[in-house]
Amino acid sequence: MAETSNAAGTTDLHAQVQAALSADIHLLGDLLGAIIRRLAGDAAFALEEDVRAAAKALRAAPSVDEARKLRDRLDGLNLPELRTLIRAFSLYFDLVNLAEQQARVRSNRLRALHRAPLPLEESPEAALLELRAQGISAERVRGLLERGLIGCVFTAHPSEARRRTVLEKLAAVARRLDRRERTRLLPREEEVAVAAIAEELESLWLTSTVRGKRPAVLDEVRQGLELVENSLLEVVPRVYRELETALPRVFPELTTQRAEELAQPPVGTVPPLLRFGSWIGGDRDGHPDVTHDVTAAAIRLQQETILRHYRKLVRKLGQQLSHSRQFVAPAEEFTASLARDAERLGAGFDSLADEPYRAKCGSIALKLRRTLVYVRSSRPHWGLEAKRPPAGVYTRRQELLDDLESIAADLRAVGAEAASLGAVHDLIRLAQVFGVHMLSLDIRQHADVHARALEEILAWAGVCSGYTKLTANQRFDCLVQELEKSRPLLPARLPFSPETNEVVETFRTVAAVLERQCPEAVETYIISGATEPAHLLEVLLLAREARLFQPQEGTSRLNIVPLFESLAPLRDAATIVNRLLALPVY
């Protein structure tokens, strides 16, 4: 009986969701239809309705004759009629997508509200339950989480062709649909809500959906960052929270003793296994507009975005953490950290001695502001001497984490567990994932470009002439010999061709950014078109010239990654890598 009841309940929920979806589609379609009739005319509206009805009929009952009739009618339309028709259908399908997204949200909320017997199919809990059902032990899950790293990378290929303005307007419609869903509106409020949606749709109809000019690289960077800021920065802490909640529920044997739980930061329950990267602004393979200056600007835009976001959250956190010394007694180390902040930050820091956690938020906000000012004014310039940023500037994620975790640890120590597990916890998660750089920017260039640059450099340095005309083994031996020497190949001022100078400046700019802004901003250099071991040694040699690779110290600040893209190097990949691994310098 219980199973029947659950099945019936699930059926009722599905019917409720489908009915609401249908109502949303009809509402949006009717509003759009009224706008088309008013702004494009009755004929345009009638044409759209006729074509839509014919397409629905063809789907329900396929017919070659009817398909030909529809094709012939479309062939007879003039260009303005076709443009209006395409515009009507494009916007209509955008609105149907919004309605379907809202239906998914509605379904999830109703399932949670009615305590559906199974978790959502795409939730962390459902994934853990599936692992348990397959016989995966709790200890193995713990090990997988501790070793796991999920790195998601935004490539430079546009994944969203629509203008940002159009996306913003669609998002506004989605928010208004969601408000109608979540709020019990009075009749007059419902009229106002529908009128607001109609206003957004009218604006959409009158907005150009096509960019007037090709977007610049930094425009693509900004669009990517807006996607991250408006979605990931909100979603990531929730994903971690769901996983932390589901883990002890599915694997209760992983639950620690209460005393141990208090002694360890709650963020240790699930290790920080998420990272995000980007190619946008770093992928220069076949894209001459991606220069070293553009790469530096892309990194700067990323840092500005995440630092502004952190400042907003920290200021809000400071308003929440109004705990007074009348009721809490911070540890000596926490109090000492406030004193160190006051000494380091000077007159701009208000210690707020009676509200220690608010004071710490104030010091973090001030450091974030100083970091933001420093990043905005920074124009990375490679020099012989590495320069450090000024005091009170965050350059690594751990520096920010140390400050945030000191608040969380002291809150737990004084018994304020709710505060330590709330906004502080979420902010720590964001800092773990995004650091003070936001997305790790991958640099990508084609192997042929490196080879041409080194041909010029090696000839100028008197090492060899005609580098690219050597055999693969000769190139390999030449590079090995140079890597084993400590002499520099490049002068401070570059006398080479613009293409070669740009290659060298790219490495120097990356080095300057890592030394002076954030050592976590760039981690990976990708070689497209890699076919032989020398292609990796070429990048290694160029990296050495910018101090990114220091063989005497056994350190490299870049992960050098070959893309074996054609059949022969894919087949020989193991041989290529093994030959490199046999080199001590590599």
Side-chain angles (χ1 to χ4, degrees):
M1 289 295 293
E3 291 180 2
T4 304
S5 176
N6 286 336
T10 302
T11 302
D12 290 343
L13 290 180
H14 180 73
Q16 187 176 343
V17 168
Q18 289 301 310
L21 170 61
S22 179
D24 281 346
I25 291 175
H26 280 296
L27 170 66
L28 295 172
D30 290 346
L31 292 175
L32 177 61
I35 290 167
I36 293 173
R37 296 182 72 169
R38 177 160 44 86
L39 297 177
D42 289 338
F45 175 73
L47 174 63
E48 180 271 330
E49 287 293 289
D50 289 348
V51 171
R52 185 160 68 93
K56 287 177 67 177
L58 276 171
R59 179 169 181 174
S63 165
V64 173
D65 290 339
E66 292 301 318
R68 284 173 177 163
K69 288 180 183 178
L70 179 58
R71 180 199 61 190
D72 292 342
R73 183 172 185 185
L74 294 175
D75 282 344
L77 298 177
N78 59 39
L79 189 58
E81 289 173 325
L82 280 172
R83 282 177 173 165
T84 302
L85 184 64
I86 292 170
R87 188 174 188 77
F89 276 110
S90 296
L91 185 49
Y92 175 74
F93 288 127
D94 279 338
L95 297 179
V96 171
N97 285 339
L98 287 186
E100 290 177 344
Q101 291 171 18
Q102 184 61 31
R104 285 194 289 273
V105 172
R106 182 183 297 117
S107 175
N108 291 344
R109 294 186 73 241
L110 286 173
R111 283 173 59 85
L113 189 64
H114 292 83
R115 299 187 182 276
L118 295 175
L120 300 177
E121 291 181 2
E122 298 175 356
S123 68
E125 184 173 357
L128 291 172
L129 283 170
E130 185 174 344
L131 289 175
R132 179 130 205 162
Q134 293 180 8
I136 306 298
S137 69
E139 282 306 312
R140 188 176 175 195
V141 169
R142 186 202 296 273
L144 289 170
L145 289 173
E146 289 175 350
R147 297 191 307 274
L149 178 63
I150 301 171
C152 307
V153 180
F154 294 90
T155 70
H157 310 294
S159 56
E160 178 53 77
R162 290 172 296 186
R163 293 179 60 202
R164 184 165 60 181
T165 299
V166 172
L167 295 176
E168 289 171 348
K169 292 182 182 299
L170 289 170
V173 174
R175 287 193 297 271
R176 295 187 184 282
L177 282 176
D178 191 57
R179 182 175 180 273
R180 290 179 70 244
E181 173 75 22
R182 293 171 180 261
T183 308
R184 183 174 296 177
L185 300 176
L186 298 173
R188 175 54 186 157
E189 292 173 332
E190 171 69 10
E191 293 175 6
V192 172
V194 171
I197 294 174
E199 182 180 353
E200 294 287 357
L201 295 185
E202 180 187 272
S203 179
L204 256 175
W205 180 260
L206 296 173
T207 297
S208 176
T209 57
V210 181
R211 294 182 176 94
K213 60 180 180 179
R214 182 179 180 178
V217 177
L218 293 182
D219 292 329
E220 294 179 15
V221 172
R222 291 185 184 94
Q223 183 164 335
L225 293 181
E226 183 168 301
L227 173 67
V228 174
E229 187 174 18
N230 292 337
S231 58
L232 284 181
L233 296 186
E234 179 184 348
V235 169
V236 163
R238 284 166 39 197
V239 170
Y240 273 113
R241 280 185 173 277
E242 288 186 21
L243 187 52
E244 287 170 341
T245 301
L247 194 61
R249 186 183 299 159
V250 179
F251 293 98
E253 54 268 48
L254 290 181
T255 305
T256 59
Q257 296 295 322
R258 185 66 172 166
E260 294 175 354
E261 191 175 301
L262 289 175
Q264 297 295 324
V267 291
T269 308
V270 175
L273 45 80
L274 287 176
R275 288 288 187 274
F276 291 91
S278 175
W279 282 15
I280 312 174
D283 182 7
R284 59 236 318 117
D285 181 10
H287 199 325
D289 292 338
V290 182
T291 64
H292 65 282
D293 286 330
V294 166
T295 293
I299 293 170
R300 188 163 56 248
L301 283 171
Q302 291 189 169
Q303 286 198 270
E304 289 178 13
T305 301
I306 195 63
L307 291 169
R308 284 196 307 267
H309 191 80
Y310 286 156
R311 282 192 71 205
K312 179 177 67 177
L313 296 181
V314 168
R315 286 197 296 264
K316 184 177 179 181
L317 183 62
Q319 294 172 349
Q320 294 175 246
L321 298 181
S322 56
H323 304 55
S324 170
R325 285 184 183 271
Q326 296 179 36
F327 308 108
V328 297
E332 290 184 9
E333 175 54 32
F334 186 83
T335 303
S337 76
L338 289 176
R340 289 194 297 270
D341 287 340
E343 181 179 354
R344 186 179 301 127
L345 299 175
F349 173 57
D350 182 2
S351 65
L352 287 171
D354 187 52
E355 296 175 330
Y357 308 120
R358 178 174 284 182
K360 191 67 176 178
C361 288
S363 78
I364 295 172
L366 184 53
K367 290 177 186 177
L368 288 168
R369 184 172 69 83
R370 289 189 177 186
T371 306
L372 188 56
V373 170
Y374 175 72
V375 167
R376 281 173 174 164
S377 62
S378 178
R379 296 297 180 270
H381 175 70
W382 185 84
L384 297 178
E385 297 295 329
K387 294 184 179 179
R388 295 292 301 162
V393 167
Y394 291 121
T395 59
R396 296 176 180 269
R397 67 161 54 85
Q398 193 57 51
E399 295 164 351
L400 175 58
L401 281 171
D402 287 344
D403 281 343
L404 294 171
E405 287 169 350
S406 71
I407 296 176
D410 209 78
L411 285 168
R412 288 194 301 275
V414 300
E417 292 181 54
S420 72
L421 294 172
V424 182
H425 180 87
D426 288 346
L427 190 47
I428 287 173
R429 281 303 192 191
L430 284 178
Q432 286 177 335
V433 174
F434 296 102
V436 293
H437 60 286
M438 197 168 193
L439 306 172
S440 177
L441 187 66
D442 291 351
I443 309 298
R444 186 170 84 128
Q445 182 58 281
H446 198 279
D448 290 347
V449 176
H450 303 138
R452 288 196 298 269
L454 275 174
E455 179 165 48
E456 194 172 351
I457 291 167
L458 294 174
W460 177 87
V463 174
C464 75
S465 59
Y467 169 79
T468 58
K469 296 180 178 62
L470 300 176
T471 66
N473 285 333
Q474 289 173 331
R475 283 192 293 270
F476 181 83
D477 293 339
C478 174
L479 295 169
V480 170
Q481 290 174 13
E482 283 306 309
L483 283 166
E484 289 175 346
K485 298 174 182 177
S486 58
R487 65 170 185 177
L489 284 174
L490 294 171
R493 294 186 179 181
L494 302 176
F496 309 113
S497 66
E499 183 186 53
T500 295
N501 286 347
E502 177 58 36
V503 170
V504 175
E505 289 287 7
T506 294
F507 283 92
R508 289 181 171 183
T509 296
V510 170
V513 167
L514 299 186
E515 289 173 355
R516 303 181 189 185
Q517 279 180 231
C518 178
E520 296 156 337
V522 177
E523 296 178 352
T524 301
Y525 194 106
I526 300 170
I527 310 165
S528 53
T531 60
E532 60 182 87
H535 287 157
L536 282 83
L537 297 185
E538 288 165 356
V539 173
L540 206 57
L541 184 58
L542 290 165
R544 189 197 69 180
E545 293 300 300
R547 292 196 306 269
L548 290 165
F549 172 55
Q550 301 185 57
Q552 288 78 18
E553 299 179 11
T555 61
S556 176
R557 306 189 78 163
L558 292 178
N559 300 317
I560 299 175
V561 179
L563 284 187
F564 298 127
E565 299 172 277
S566 55
L567 184 59
L570 280 169
R571 186 187 298 118
D572 298 336
T575 302
I576 292 171
V577 173
N578 283 330
R579 190 175 185 189
L580 290 165
L581 292 175
L583 290 176
V585 69
Y586 185 82

